[in-house]
Amino acid sequence: MRTTRRSAALLAAVALLSVACGGADTGAETGADTGADTGTTETGADAEDPAAAEGEEPADDAADEEAAPADDAEGPLTVYSGRSEELVGEVLDGFTEQTGIELDVRYGDTAELAATIINEGEASPADVYFGQDAGALGALEAEGLFATLPDDLVSSVEPAFASDSGAWVGVTGRVRVLAYNTDTLTEDEVPDSVFDLTDPEWEGRVSWAPTNGSFQAFVTAMRVTEGEDATREWLEGMIANDVQVFENNASQVEAVGRGEVDVALVNHYYLFRFTAEDPDFPVANKFLPGDIGGLVNVAGVGVLASSDQPTAAEQFVEYLLSDEVQNFFGSETNEREFPAVQGVEATDLPTIEELGAPEIDLSDLEDLQGTLALLQETGALQ
């Protein structure tokens, strides 16, 4: 097992490199698309794009059902959330309405909140960590800071969406895709692999957002599955092919719609924000089954081993995996994500099986520091 000092240094380095790279989004979906928040706050300085919540409704159905609070629920549960208040705040309110258990939620950057917990150690006030990225969850798991979740909770989610040790479970999945302009390309004309994007045919026509946490998690996955040399070669090939650099996923999708670039490496759900406002928005997603460019990452949750309210904390996890909350994320939000619980399908999205996601243990995505170093060495991050 790695030492606490080592992972703290690792995640601290992630945070510092985040600032060095423009204070934008590192570590996971962390900096997502605001490109702004690198610090933790109490009230919603989010890692995610505030616009993500537009048009969303709370999980009312969940809130309508009352459940008895756990026996050890003696005070507010403290939740460190790398998911933004705009996106999950009302969902979390539904837990209190349903159980009577108050939540003290600390919103912030996913990687930085994980680093904070590691630094706090056994003295951490956090009962639950709700992160945007499997890498940060894996870092806390590696430190032995998570309690093992009950088998029925772990087995309820897709096997690929949970830690093998039961330390954490995914709540939702997010898929990397190639967003393309439908006025200039058909789906068949879009490459089936990100490795084809270094072909001269795509010179100057492709964009990425190297400061974005989801992009960095994807690069980490490429390092894990394809190796350091192949990843370095791909990054250098993309730069040599004049890849266009954007701040975040949303601006990339917008640029594809304007025809500034033909293809963008993004997460799947950003497109829905634009099509909700304009059904004729000329962009579509191409999923990449079997390719590392089609990585499925998760937002997930774990209970801290140091919690003095472990049963109440597990009740919170159970709530996030309830049908009501899973359907909210999969069918009610404008930016639909893949429900992690087996048997709950998302509206207007392929099934998990149809995605043909590359096989990878998401806990292995913890080495964000190595990815940031490689991105800087290749010039992808200035």
Side-chain angles (χ1 to χ4, degrees), residues 59-124:
D60 290 332
D61 292 340
D64 290 341
E65 299 178 8
E66 294 184 358
D71 292 340
D72 63 358
E74 298 179 348
L77 274 179
T78 299
V79 178
Y80 281 16
S81 176
R83 309 226 71 185
S84 72
E85 183 174 15
E86 286 82 357
L87 183 61
V88 303
E90 292 188 75
V91 172
L92 301 192
D93 288 345
F95 173 75
T96 299
E97 294 171 10
Q98 186 176 125
T99 66
I101 300 173
E102 298 289 337
L103 298 179
D104 181 6
V105 185
R106 180 174 181 177
Y107 293 101
D109 175 279
T110 285
E112 291 185 0
L113 287 175
T116 298
I117 291 173
I118 290 172
N119 284 325
E120 292 171 340
E122 294 292 319
S124 175

Short mmCIF file of all heavy atoms in Angstrom, two decimals, residues 59-124:
data_model
loop_
_atom_site.label_atom_id
_atom_site.label_comp_id
_atom_site.label_asym_id
_atom_site.label_seq_id
_atom_site.Cartn_x
_atom_site.Cartn_y
_atom_site.Cartn_z
N ALA A 59 -34.90 15.31 -7.79
CA ALA A 59 -35.44 13.95 -7.75
C ALA A 59 -36.64 13.93 -6.82
O ALA A 59 -36.63 13.40 -5.73
CB ALA A 59 -34.38 12.97 -7.27
N ASP A 60 -37.73 14.52 -7.30
CA ASP A 60 -38.90 14.68 -6.46
C ASP A 60 -39.44 13.36 -5.97
O ASP A 60 -39.90 13.23 -4.85
CB ASP A 60 -39.98 15.44 -7.24
CG ASP A 60 -39.58 16.88 -7.46
OD1 ASP A 60 -38.83 17.41 -6.63
OD2 ASP A 60 -40.02 17.48 -8.44
N ASP A 61 -39.42 12.38 -6.89
CA ASP A 61 -39.99 11.10 -6.50
C ASP A 61 -39.27 10.53 -5.29
O ASP A 61 -39.88 9.95 -4.39
CB ASP A 61 -39.91 10.11 -7.66
CG ASP A 61 -40.82 10.53 -8.80
OD1 ASP A 61 -41.75 11.33 -8.54
OD2 ASP A 61 -40.61 10.06 -9.93
N ALA A 62 -37.92 10.67 -5.32
CA ALA A 62 -37.16 10.16 -4.19
C ALA A 62 -37.53 10.88 -2.91
O ALA A 62 -37.66 10.29 -1.84
CB ALA A 62 -35.67 10.30 -4.47
N ALA A 63 -37.71 12.19 -3.05
CA ALA A 63 -38.01 12.98 -1.86
C ALA A 63 -39.37 12.66 -1.29
O ALA A 63 -39.64 12.89 -0.11
CB ALA A 63 -37.90 14.46 -2.19
N ASP A 64 -40.25 12.16 -2.15
CA ASP A 64 -41.59 11.88 -1.68
C ASP A 64 -41.65 10.65 -0.76
O ASP A 64 -42.62 10.45 -0.05
CB ASP A 64 -42.53 11.64 -2.88
CG ASP A 64 -42.77 12.96 -3.62
OD1 ASP A 64 -42.52 14.02 -3.01
OD2 ASP A 64 -43.16 12.90 -4.79
N GLU A 65 -40.64 9.82 -0.82
CA GLU A 65 -40.66 8.61 -0.01
C GLU A 65 -39.82 8.82 1.23
O GLU A 65 -38.66 9.19 1.14
CB GLU A 65 -40.13 7.44 -0.83
CG GLU A 65 -40.96 7.17 -2.08
CD GLU A 65 -40.38 6.03 -2.89
OE1 GLU A 65 -39.42 5.38 -2.38
OE2 GLU A 65 -40.86 5.80 -4.00
N GLU A 66 -40.38 8.55 2.38
CA GLU A 66 -39.65 8.76 3.61
C GLU A 66 -39.03 7.44 4.06
O GLU A 66 -39.58 6.36 3.87
CB GLU A 66 -40.60 9.29 4.69
CG GLU A 66 -41.12 10.69 4.36
CD GLU A 66 -41.97 11.23 5.49
OE1 GLU A 66 -42.17 10.51 6.48
OE2 GLU A 66 -42.42 12.38 5.39
N ALA A 67 -37.87 7.52 4.66
CA ALA A 67 -37.18 6.35 5.18
C ALA A 67 -36.67 6.69 6.56
O ALA A 67 -36.28 7.82 6.85
CB ALA A 67 -36.03 5.96 4.27
N ALA A 68 -36.66 5.70 7.44
CA ALA A 68 -36.17 5.93 8.80
C ALA A 68 -34.67 6.18 8.78
O ALA A 68 -33.94 5.50 8.05
CB ALA A 68 -36.47 4.72 9.68
N PRO A 69 -34.21 7.17 9.54
CA PRO A 69 -32.77 7.41 9.57
C PRO A 69 -32.03 6.26 10.24
O PRO A 69 -32.58 5.54 11.06
CB PRO A 69 -32.65 8.70 10.39
CG PRO A 69 -33.89 8.72 11.23
CD PRO A 69 -34.96 8.08 10.41
N ALA A 70 -30.78 6.07 9.86
CA ALA A 70 -29.97 5.01 10.45
C ALA A 70 -29.80 5.26 11.95
O ALA A 70 -29.87 6.38 12.44
CB ALA A 70 -28.61 4.97 9.76
N ASP A 71 -29.57 4.16 12.69
CA ASP A 71 -29.47 4.25 14.14
C ASP A 71 -28.32 5.14 14.61
O ASP A 71 -28.39 5.72 15.68
CB ASP A 71 -29.30 2.84 14.73
CG ASP A 71 -30.55 2.00 14.54
OD1 ASP A 71 -31.63 2.59 14.34
OD2 ASP A 71 -30.44 0.76 14.60
N ASP A 72 -27.25 5.19 13.80
CA ASP A 72 -26.10 5.98 14.25
C ASP A 72 -26.13 7.42 13.74
O ASP A 72 -25.14 8.14 13.84
CB ASP A 72 -24.79 5.29 13.83
CG ASP A 72 -24.64 5.18 12.32
OD1 ASP A 72 -25.58 5.60 11.60
OD2 ASP A 72 -23.58 4.69 11.88
N ALA A 73 -27.26 7.83 13.13
CA ALA A 73 -27.37 9.20 12.62
C ALA A 73 -27.58 10.15 13.79
O ALA A 73 -28.70 10.31 14.28
CB ALA A 73 -28.52 9.29 11.62
N GLU A 74 -26.50 10.77 14.24
CA GLU A 74 -26.57 11.63 15.42
C GLU A 74 -26.41 13.10 15.07
O GLU A 74 -26.60 13.96 15.92
CB GLU A 74 -25.48 11.21 16.42
CG GLU A 74 -25.66 9.78 16.93
CD GLU A 74 -24.57 9.39 17.90
OE1 GLU A 74 -23.57 10.14 17.98
OE2 GLU A 74 -24.71 8.35 18.57
N GLY A 75 -26.03 13.39 13.85
CA GLY A 75 -25.82 14.78 13.45
C GLY A 75 -25.72 14.84 11.96
O GLY A 75 -25.89 13.84 11.27
N PRO A 76 -25.42 16.01 11.42
CA PRO A 76 -25.30 16.11 9.97
C PRO A 76 -24.21 15.19 9.44
O PRO A 76 -23.15 15.04 10.06
CB PRO A 76 -24.93 17.59 9.76
CG PRO A 76 -25.38 18.29 10.99
CD PRO A 76 -25.21 17.30 12.10
N LEU A 77 -24.49 14.58 8.30
CA LEU A 77 -23.44 13.84 7.59
C LEU A 77 -22.62 14.85 6.81
O LEU A 77 -23.17 15.73 6.13
CB LEU A 77 -24.06 12.85 6.60
CG LEU A 77 -24.47 11.46 7.07
CD1 LEU A 77 -25.07 10.70 5.89
CD2 LEU A 77 -23.27 10.71 7.63
N THR A 78 -21.32 14.72 6.88
CA THR A 78 -20.46 15.62 6.13
C THR A 78 -20.07 14.96 4.82
O THR A 78 -19.47 13.88 4.81
CB THR A 78 -19.19 15.97 6.93
OG1 THR A 78 -19.60 16.63 8.14
CG2 THR A 78 -18.29 16.90 6.13
N VAL A 79 -20.44 15.60 3.72
CA VAL A 79 -20.17 15.08 2.38
C VAL A 79 -19.19 16.00 1.68
O VAL A 79 -19.44 17.20 1.56
CB VAL A 79 -21.48 14.98 1.56
CG1 VAL A 79 -21.18 14.47 0.15
CG2 VAL A 79 -22.49 14.07 2.26
N TYR A 80 -18.08 15.46 1.23
CA TYR A 80 -17.17 16.20 0.37
C TYR A 80 -17.57 15.86 -1.06
O TYR A 80 -17.42 14.71 -1.50
CB TYR A 80 -15.72 15.79 0.61
CG TYR A 80 -15.06 16.39 1.83
CD1 TYR A 80 -15.80 16.98 2.85
CD2 TYR A 80 -13.67 16.37 1.97
CE1 TYR A 80 -15.19 17.53 3.96
CE2 TYR A 80 -13.04 16.91 3.08
CZ TYR A 80 -13.81 17.49 4.09
OH TYR A 80 -13.19 18.03 5.20
N SER A 81 -18.04 16.86 -1.80
CA SER A 81 -18.59 16.59 -3.13
C SER A 81 -17.81 17.29 -4.23
O SER A 81 -17.73 18.52 -4.28
CB SER A 81 -20.06 17.05 -3.21
OG SER A 81 -20.57 16.87 -4.51
N GLY A 82 -17.25 16.49 -5.13
CA GLY A 82 -16.63 17.04 -6.34
C GLY A 82 -17.64 17.30 -7.44
O GLY A 82 -17.30 17.81 -8.49
N ARG A 83 -18.87 16.92 -7.20
CA ARG A 83 -19.96 17.26 -8.10
C ARG A 83 -20.53 18.60 -7.68
O ARG A 83 -20.65 18.89 -6.49
CB ARG A 83 -21.05 16.19 -8.08
CG ARG A 83 -20.55 14.78 -8.29
CD ARG A 83 -21.38 14.02 -9.27
NE ARG A 83 -21.19 14.51 -10.63
CZ ARG A 83 -21.88 14.07 -11.68
NH1 ARG A 83 -22.81 13.16 -11.50
NH2 ARG A 83 -21.65 14.55 -12.88
N SER A 84 -20.91 19.39 -8.64
CA SER A 84 -21.31 20.76 -8.32
C SER A 84 -22.65 20.82 -7.62
O SER A 84 -23.51 19.95 -7.78
CB SER A 84 -21.39 21.59 -9.61
OG SER A 84 -22.52 21.20 -10.37
N GLU A 85 -22.83 21.87 -6.85
CA GLU A 85 -24.10 22.09 -6.16
C GLU A 85 -25.23 22.28 -7.17
O GLU A 85 -26.35 21.80 -6.97
CB GLU A 85 -24.01 23.31 -5.26
CG GLU A 85 -25.27 23.57 -4.44
CD GLU A 85 -25.11 24.71 -3.45
OE1 GLU A 85 -24.14 25.48 -3.59
OE2 GLU A 85 -25.95 24.82 -2.55
N GLU A 86 -24.91 22.95 -8.29
CA GLU A 86 -25.93 23.17 -9.31
C GLU A 86 -26.44 21.86 -9.88
O GLU A 86 -27.61 21.73 -10.24
CB GLU A 86 -25.36 24.03 -10.44
CG GLU A 86 -25.21 25.50 -10.09
CD GLU A 86 -23.93 25.77 -9.31
OE1 GLU A 86 -23.21 24.79 -9.02
OE2 GLU A 86 -23.65 26.93 -9.00
N LEU A 87 -25.56 20.87 -9.97
CA LEU A 87 -25.96 19.60 -10.58
C LEU A 87 -26.61 18.65 -9.58
O LEU A 87 -27.58 17.98 -9.91
CB LEU A 87 -24.74 18.93 -11.22
CG LEU A 87 -25.02 17.62 -11.96
CD1 LEU A 87 -25.98 17.86 -13.11
CD2 LEU A 87 -23.72 17.01 -12.47
N VAL A 88 -26.06 18.60 -8.37
CA VAL A 88 -26.53 17.56 -7.44
C VAL A 88 -27.17 18.10 -6.18
O VAL A 88 -27.66 17.32 -5.36
CB VAL A 88 -25.37 16.61 -7.05
CG1 VAL A 88 -24.74 16.00 -8.28
CG2 VAL A 88 -24.33 17.32 -6.18
N GLY A 89 -27.18 19.43 -6.01
CA GLY A 89 -27.67 20.01 -4.76
C GLY A 89 -29.08 19.57 -4.41
O GLY A 89 -29.37 19.18 -3.27
N GLU A 90 -29.97 19.62 -5.40
CA GLU A 90 -31.36 19.27 -5.10
C GLU A 90 -31.53 17.77 -4.91
O GLU A 90 -32.41 17.34 -4.17
CB GLU A 90 -32.26 19.79 -6.22
CG GLU A 90 -32.31 21.31 -6.24
CD GLU A 90 -33.34 21.85 -7.21
OE1 GLU A 90 -34.53 21.79 -6.89
OE2 GLU A 90 -32.93 22.32 -8.28
N VAL A 91 -30.68 17.00 -5.57
CA VAL A 91 -30.70 15.56 -5.33
C VAL A 91 -30.32 15.28 -3.88
O VAL A 91 -30.94 14.47 -3.19
CB VAL A 91 -29.75 14.83 -6.29
CG1 VAL A 91 -29.63 13.36 -5.91
CG2 VAL A 91 -30.24 14.96 -7.73
N LEU A 92 -29.28 15.96 -3.41
CA LEU A 92 -28.84 15.74 -2.04
C LEU A 92 -29.91 16.24 -1.06
O LEU A 92 -30.11 15.62 0.01
CB LEU A 92 -27.51 16.44 -1.79
CG LEU A 92 -26.34 16.01 -2.69
CD1 LEU A 92 -25.02 16.55 -2.15
CD2 LEU A 92 -26.27 14.50 -2.87
N ASP A 93 -30.59 17.32 -1.40
CA ASP A 93 -31.68 17.78 -0.53
C ASP A 93 -32.74 16.70 -0.38
O ASP A 93 -33.37 16.57 0.68
CB ASP A 93 -32.31 19.05 -1.12
CG ASP A 93 -31.41 20.27 -0.99
OD1 ASP A 93 -30.45 20.21 -0.20
OD2 ASP A 93 -31.67 21.26 -1.69
N GLY A 94 -32.93 15.93 -1.46
CA GLY A 94 -33.93 14.87 -1.42
C GLY A 94 -33.60 13.82 -0.38
O GLY A 94 -34.51 13.21 0.21
N PHE A 95 -32.31 13.60 -0.12
CA PHE A 95 -31.91 12.63 0.91
C PHE A 95 -32.39 13.10 2.28
O PHE A 95 -32.93 12.31 3.07
CB PHE A 95 -30.39 12.45 0.90
CG PHE A 95 -29.88 11.61 2.03
CD1 PHE A 95 -30.04 10.23 2.02
CD2 PHE A 95 -29.21 12.20 3.11
CE1 PHE A 95 -29.57 9.44 3.07
CE2 PHE A 95 -28.73 11.41 4.16
CZ PHE A 95 -28.91 10.03 4.13
N THR A 96 -32.19 14.38 2.57
CA THR A 96 -32.62 14.92 3.86
C THR A 96 -34.14 14.86 3.99
O THR A 96 -34.68 14.49 5.04
CB THR A 96 -32.14 16.36 4.02
OG1 THR A 96 -30.70 16.38 3.98
CG2 THR A 96 -32.60 16.96 5.33
N GLU A 97 -34.81 15.20 2.90
CA GLU A 97 -36.28 15.16 2.94
C GLU A 97 -36.78 13.74 3.15
O GLU A 97 -37.80 13.52 3.80
CB GLU A 97 -36.83 15.73 1.63
CG GLU A 97 -36.55 17.21 1.45
CD GLU A 97 -36.91 17.70 0.07
OE1 GLU A 97 -37.55 16.93 -0.68
OE2 GLU A 97 -36.53 18.84 -0.28
N GLN A 98 -36.06 12.77 2.62
CA GLN A 98 -36.51 11.38 2.70
C GLN A 98 -36.17 10.74 4.03
O GLN A 98 -36.91 9.91 4.52
CB GLN A 98 -35.87 10.59 1.55
CG GLN A 98 -36.37 9.16 1.43
CD GLN A 98 -35.78 8.45 0.23
OE1 GLN A 98 -35.19 7.39 0.37
NE2 GLN A 98 -35.93 9.04 -0.94
N THR A 99 -35.02 11.10 4.60
CA THR A 99 -34.55 10.41 5.81
C THR A 99 -34.55 11.28 7.06
O THR A 99 -34.46 10.75 8.17
CB THR A 99 -33.11 9.91 5.60
OG1 THR A 99 -32.24 11.05 5.45
CG2 THR A 99 -33.01 9.03 4.35
N GLY A 100 -34.58 12.58 6.88
CA GLY A 100 -34.46 13.47 8.03
C GLY A 100 -33.03 13.73 8.44
O GLY A 100 -32.76 14.49 9.37
N ILE A 101 -32.08 13.10 7.75
CA ILE A 101 -30.66 13.28 8.08
C ILE A 101 -30.14 14.51 7.36
O ILE A 101 -30.17 14.59 6.12
CB ILE A 101 -29.84 12.04 7.67
CG1 ILE A 101 -30.36 10.79 8.40
CG2 ILE A 101 -28.36 12.26 7.96
CD1 ILE A 101 -29.71 9.49 7.93
N GLU A 102 -29.65 15.47 8.10
CA GLU A 102 -29.10 16.68 7.51
C GLU A 102 -27.73 16.39 6.88
O GLU A 102 -27.00 15.50 7.33
CB GLU A 102 -28.95 17.77 8.56
CG GLU A 102 -30.26 18.21 9.21
CD GLU A 102 -31.14 19.00 8.24
OE1 GLU A 102 -30.59 19.58 7.27
OE2 GLU A 102 -32.36 19.02 8.46
N LEU A 103 -27.42 17.14 5.83
CA LEU A 103 -26.11 17.02 5.18
C LEU A 103 -25.35 18.34 5.31
O LEU A 103 -25.92 19.41 5.14
CB LEU A 103 -26.28 16.70 3.69
CG LEU A 103 -26.96 15.38 3.33
CD1 LEU A 103 -27.05 15.24 1.82
CD2 LEU A 103 -26.22 14.19 3.93
N ASP A 104 -24.08 18.22 5.60
CA ASP A 104 -23.16 19.37 5.55
C ASP A 104 -22.26 19.11 4.36
O ASP A 104 -21.33 18.31 4.44
CB ASP A 104 -22.36 19.45 6.85
CG ASP A 104 -21.41 20.64 6.86
OD1 ASP A 104 -21.46 21.46 5.91
OD2 ASP A 104 -20.61 20.74 7.81
N VAL A 105 -22.55 19.77 3.24
CA VAL A 105 -21.87 19.45 1.98
C VAL A 105 -20.78 20.47 1.71
O VAL A 105 -21.02 21.68 1.71
CB VAL A 105 -22.86 19.43 0.81
CG1 VAL A 105 -22.14 18.98 -0.47
CG2 VAL A 105 -24.04 18.50 1.11
N ARG A 106 -19.60 19.97 1.45
CA ARG A 106 -18.47 20.81 1.06
C ARG A 106 -18.20 20.56 -0.41
O ARG A 106 -17.73 19.49 -0.78
CB ARG A 106 -17.24 20.48 1.90
CG ARG A 106 -16.01 21.33 1.54
CD ARG A 106 -14.87 21.03 2.51
NE ARG A 106 -13.70 21.84 2.21
CZ ARG A 106 -12.59 21.83 2.93
NH1 ARG A 106 -12.51 21.05 4.00
NH2 ARG A 106 -11.56 22.60 2.59
N TYR A 107 -18.55 21.54 -1.26
CA TYR A 107 -18.35 21.39 -2.69
C TYR A 107 -16.97 21.88 -3.09
O TYR A 107 -16.43 22.81 -2.49
CB TYR A 107 -19.40 22.20 -3.46
CG TYR A 107 -20.81 21.68 -3.32
CD1 TYR A 107 -21.71 22.30 -2.45
CD2 TYR A 107 -21.24 20.58 -4.04
CE1 TYR A 107 -23.01 21.84 -2.32
CE2 TYR A 107 -22.54 20.11 -3.92
CZ TYR A 107 -23.42 20.74 -3.05
OH TYR A 107 -24.70 20.28 -2.91
N GLY A 108 -16.40 21.28 -4.10
CA GLY A 108 -15.10 21.73 -4.58
C GLY A 108 -14.58 20.86 -5.69
O GLY A 108 -15.30 20.09 -6.31
N ASP A 109 -13.29 21.00 -5.92
CA ASP A 109 -12.61 20.27 -6.97
C ASP A 109 -12.39 18.82 -6.52
O ASP A 109 -11.93 18.57 -5.39
CB ASP A 109 -11.27 20.95 -7.25
CG ASP A 109 -10.43 20.21 -8.24
OD1 ASP A 109 -9.76 19.24 -7.84
OD2 ASP A 109 -10.44 20.61 -9.41
N THR A 110 -12.70 17.88 -7.40
CA THR A 110 -12.62 16.48 -7.03
C THR A 110 -11.25 16.07 -6.51
O THR A 110 -11.12 15.46 -5.44
CB THR A 110 -13.00 15.61 -8.25
OG1 THR A 110 -14.42 15.66 -8.44
CG2 THR A 110 -12.61 14.16 -8.04
N ALA A 111 -10.19 16.39 -7.26
CA ALA A 111 -8.84 15.98 -6.86
C ALA A 111 -8.42 16.67 -5.58
O ALA A 111 -7.80 16.07 -4.69
CB ALA A 111 -7.85 16.26 -7.98
N GLU A 112 -8.76 17.94 -5.46
CA GLU A 112 -8.34 18.68 -4.27
C GLU A 112 -9.08 18.21 -3.03
O GLU A 112 -8.51 18.16 -1.94
CB GLU A 112 -8.53 20.18 -4.50
CG GLU A 112 -7.55 20.72 -5.53
CD GLU A 112 -7.65 22.23 -5.69
OE1 GLU A 112 -8.47 22.85 -4.98
OE2 GLU A 112 -6.90 22.76 -6.51
N LEU A 113 -10.34 17.86 -3.17
CA LEU A 113 -11.06 17.32 -2.01
C LEU A 113 -10.48 15.98 -1.59
O LEU A 113 -10.37 15.69 -0.38
CB LEU A 113 -12.55 17.17 -2.35
CG LEU A 113 -13.36 18.48 -2.44
CD1 LEU A 113 -14.78 18.18 -2.90
CD2 LEU A 113 -13.38 19.21 -1.10
N ALA A 114 -10.08 15.17 -2.56
CA ALA A 114 -9.45 13.90 -2.21
C ALA A 114 -8.12 14.15 -1.49
O ALA A 114 -7.80 13.48 -0.49
CB ALA A 114 -9.22 13.07 -3.48
N ALA A 115 -7.35 15.12 -2.00
CA ALA A 115 -6.08 15.46 -1.34
C ALA A 115 -6.32 15.98 0.07
O ALA A 115 -5.55 15.68 1.00
CB ALA A 115 -5.33 16.51 -2.17
N THR A 116 -7.39 16.74 0.24
CA THR A 116 -7.72 17.26 1.57
C THR A 116 -8.00 16.12 2.54
O THR A 116 -7.53 16.13 3.68
CB THR A 116 -8.95 18.19 1.48
OG1 THR A 116 -8.64 19.30 0.64
CG2 THR A 116 -9.36 18.70 2.86
N ILE A 117 -8.77 15.15 2.09
CA ILE A 117 -9.09 14.01 2.96
C ILE A 117 -7.82 13.25 3.33
O ILE A 117 -7.63 12.84 4.49
CB ILE A 117 -10.10 13.08 2.27
CG1 ILE A 117 -11.46 13.77 2.17
CG2 ILE A 117 -10.25 11.76 3.03
CD1 ILE A 117 -12.49 13.01 1.35
N ILE A 118 -6.94 13.07 2.36
CA ILE A 118 -5.69 12.36 2.63
C ILE A 118 -4.87 13.14 3.65
O ILE A 118 -4.28 12.56 4.58
CB ILE A 118 -4.90 12.16 1.32
CG1 ILE A 118 -5.64 11.13 0.44
CG2 ILE A 118 -3.47 11.68 1.61
CD1 ILE A 118 -5.07 10.99 -0.95
N ASN A 119 -4.82 14.44 3.52
CA ASN A 119 -4.06 15.25 4.47
C ASN A 119 -4.71 15.24 5.85
O ASN A 119 -4.02 15.25 6.87
CB ASN A 119 -3.95 16.69 3.96
CG ASN A 119 -2.93 16.83 2.84
OD1 ASN A 119 -1.90 16.15 2.85
ND2 ASN A 119 -3.20 17.70 1.88
N GLU A 120 -6.03 15.21 5.87
CA GLU A 120 -6.74 15.21 7.15
C GLU A 120 -6.63 13.85 7.85
O GLU A 120 -6.70 13.77 9.08
CB GLU A 120 -8.21 15.58 6.94
CG GLU A 120 -8.43 17.02 6.50
CD GLU A 120 -9.86 17.29 6.08
OE1 GLU A 120 -10.59 16.32 5.77
OE2 GLU A 120 -10.24 18.48 6.03
N GLY A 121 -6.53 12.80 7.06
CA GLY A 121 -6.39 11.46 7.62
C GLY A 121 -7.57 11.07 8.50
O GLY A 121 -8.72 11.36 8.18
N GLU A 122 -7.26 10.40 9.59
CA GLU A 122 -8.31 9.93 10.49
C GLU A 122 -9.12 11.07 11.10
O GLU A 122 -10.24 10.87 11.58
CB GLU A 122 -7.69 9.10 11.62
CG GLU A 122 -7.03 7.81 11.16
CD GLU A 122 -8.05 6.81 10.64
OE1 GLU A 122 -9.13 6.70 11.27
OE2 GLU A 122 -7.78 6.16 9.62
N ALA A 123 -8.55 12.27 11.09
CA ALA A 123 -9.25 13.42 11.68
C ALA A 123 -10.20 14.09 10.71
O ALA A 123 -10.85 15.08 11.06
CB ALA A 123 -8.22 14.43 12.18
N SER A 124 -10.31 13.57 9.51
CA SER A 124 -11.18 14.21 8.52
C SER A 124 -12.62 14.25 9.01
O SER A 124 -13.14 13.24 9.50
CB SER A 124 -11.13 13.46 7.18
OG SER A 124 -12.06 14.02 6.27
#
